[in-house]
Amino acid sequence: MAKIGETQYIWKDGAFIDWKDANVHVLAHSVQFGSAVFEGIRCYATPKGPAIFRLREHLKRMLNSCKIYRMPVPYSLDELVEANRALVRKNGIDACYLRPMVIRGYGAAGMVPFDSPVEVYLPCWPWGAYLGADALEKGVDACVASWNRVAPNTIPAIAKIAGNYLSGQLIKMEALQNGFDEAIALGPDGMVSEGSGQNVFVVDGGVLYTPPIDGTLLPGITRSSVLAIAEDLGLKHVVQPLAREVLYTCDELFVCGTASEITPVRSVDRLPVGDGKVGPVTRALQTRFLDIVNGRTEDTHGWLTFVR
Ligand code: PMP
């Protein structure tokens, strides 16, 4: 599992502070009650210098998460874009992972958060493969989680906020302790929802499928990129609910997310997916995705924000 590799500076509320000074009180509202909105964004080393993948979309999702939780953020989208670019420059790194956070700090005594200040932190650090060094190449072994995802209109699944990740932790720990690399969770209706930190795609009969944004899963930015690339490649793609057993019978399966990028799944609950090898559609989508993010092919969608 990946440990955080430190960089020198973190942006906090408009200024750079030392990594070691980015501390919060144990009674900060976010620590007690899980109210830390965050994002996870990759910056890639391209031939034209470091480039952040879909920075605006990530920050927009962050501001939407804050809106749902009534957290006023005193920075505009443009200001946050510039602050993240400055952060990577200031730390003098190229490929890295950015983790913008909007937290409720120390102040409120109880659950009602309004007496806690809203604080914005922008850290980044170097981070390599998430699901293992050869996961992109060979794929991973997954299970179906015994834990379901949250039900719609309970805890909003489209908000990326710390408290939601209690669900992901249960799902992922169970998978690892049972000898799997990752788990796919079902929604409360028993239909496929998402992985602990990834969206799910199935390929069957040459058609690409993924579940809809149904209130049980995070609308992944990689998910939307995969759908756009499928369109570019002329691949038929359908957003529709998927029954659990489709995971066992489909030709190809993959999970996708910022950390996992496009990771093939080679087995589910010990049943091989297709012939157990990475399929051609998964490989074609993955190759095009990795070529775009690494600046090896034209960025026709304008997904890269260059840092310098
Ligand atoms: N679902 C969950 C629960 C996640 O944590 C993530 C990672 N942010 C994703 C899906 C994929 O989202 P994205 O592609 O925007 O990283």
Side-chain angles (χ1 to χ4, degrees):
M1 295 286 96
K3 284 200 176 153
I4 292 180
E6 292 180 17
T7 50
Q8 203 174 349
Y9 299 106
I10 288 177
W11 186 100
K12 190 208 166 195
D13 290 329
F16 288 104
I17 61 172
D18 273 1
W19 178 278
K20 63 173 176 4
D21 294 332
N23 303 312
V24 293
H25 195 277
V26 68
L27 290 175
H29 189 273
S30 290
V31 178
Q32 292 197 71
F33 301 110
S35 53
V37 162
F38 67 100
E39 272 302 321
I41 314 173
R42 273 194 193 264
C43 177
Y44 290 87
T46 78
K48 286 196 258 166
I52 307 175
F53 183 64
R54 303 197 72 179
L55 177 60
R56 291 190 85 81
E57 290 87 344
H58 277 282
L59 293 172
K60 185 82 182 78
R61 184 171 68 187
M62 183 175 87
L63 292 175
N64 281 339
S65 300
C66 292
K67 187 173 185 190
I68 291 170
Y69 282 95
R70 297 166 197 273
M71 298 167 84
V73 179
Y75 306 102
S76 68
L77 187 56
D78 285 341
E79 286 169 331
L80 291 168
V81 165
E82 287 316 310
N84 278 285
R85 291 180 66 222
L87 174 77
V88 177
R89 281 199 302 270
K90 178 92 175 166
N91 278 310
I93 46 173
D94 42 26
C96 62
Y97 183 77
L98 292 88
R99 166 52 53 80
M101 302 183 73
V102 183
I103 71 163
R104 292 206 192 259
Y106 173 81
M111 184 187 60
V112 180
F114 299 122
D115 287 332
S116 280
V118 171
E119 297 166 5
V120 182
Y121 289 86
L122 306 178
C124 72
W125 64 87
W127 201 5
Y130 175 65
L131 288 172
D134 57 3
L136 293 183
E137 193 47 41
K138 297 195 171 146
V140 295
D141 299 307
C143 59
V144 173
S146 71
W147 296 97
N148 285 351
R149 275 284 171 193
V150 292
N153 206 26
T154 55
I155 292 176
I158 71 166
K160 193 166 169 67
I161 186 160
N164 280 15
Y165 283 77
L166 296 172
S167 159
Q169 288 175 48
L170 291 169
I171 288 165
K172 181 79 179 190
M173 287 190 292
E174 179 186 64
L176 293 178
Q177 294 195 335
N178 288 334
F180 299 97
D181 303 305
E182 191 48 70
I184 295 170
L186 308 176
D189 59 357
M191 304 300 272
V192 173
S193 177
E194 63 176 349
S196 66
Q198 309 90 358
N199 295 114
V200 177
F201 280 85
V202 155
V203 181
D204 207 19
V207 180
L208 184 69
Y209 298 90
T210 197
I213 307 303
D214 60 357
T216 74
L217 56 87
L218 187 77
I221 286 159
T222 320
R223 173 187 179 277
S224 88
S225 310
V226 167
L227 290 170
I229 292 171
E231 185 77 32
D232 292 347
L233 298 180
L235 182 64
K236 189 168 181 215
H237 48 93
V238 182
V239 175
Q240 64 163 57
L242 299 172
R244 169 183 182 158
E245 54 272 27
V246 172
L247 301 175
Y248 305 133
T249 60
C250 62
D251 298 329
E252 301 180 32
L253 178 62
F254 64 87
V255 291
C256 70
T258 296
S260 314
E261 298 173 306
I262 295 179
T263 299
V265 177
R266 63 185 169 200
S267 73
V268 180
D269 289 341
R270 312 268 179 234
L271 291 167
V273 173
D275 62 4
K277 302 210 177 68
V278 178
V281 175
T282 304
R283 191 63 90 202
L285 290 164
Q286 182 197 54
T287 301
R288 178 133 181 95
F289 174 82
L290 292 175
D291 282 350
I292 294 173
V293 298
N294 287 291
R296 295 191 289 257
T297 192
E298 201 192 337
D299 172 23
T300 52
H301 296 279
W303 284 339
L304 299 181
T305 298
F306 289 92
V307 161
R308 293 198 279 267

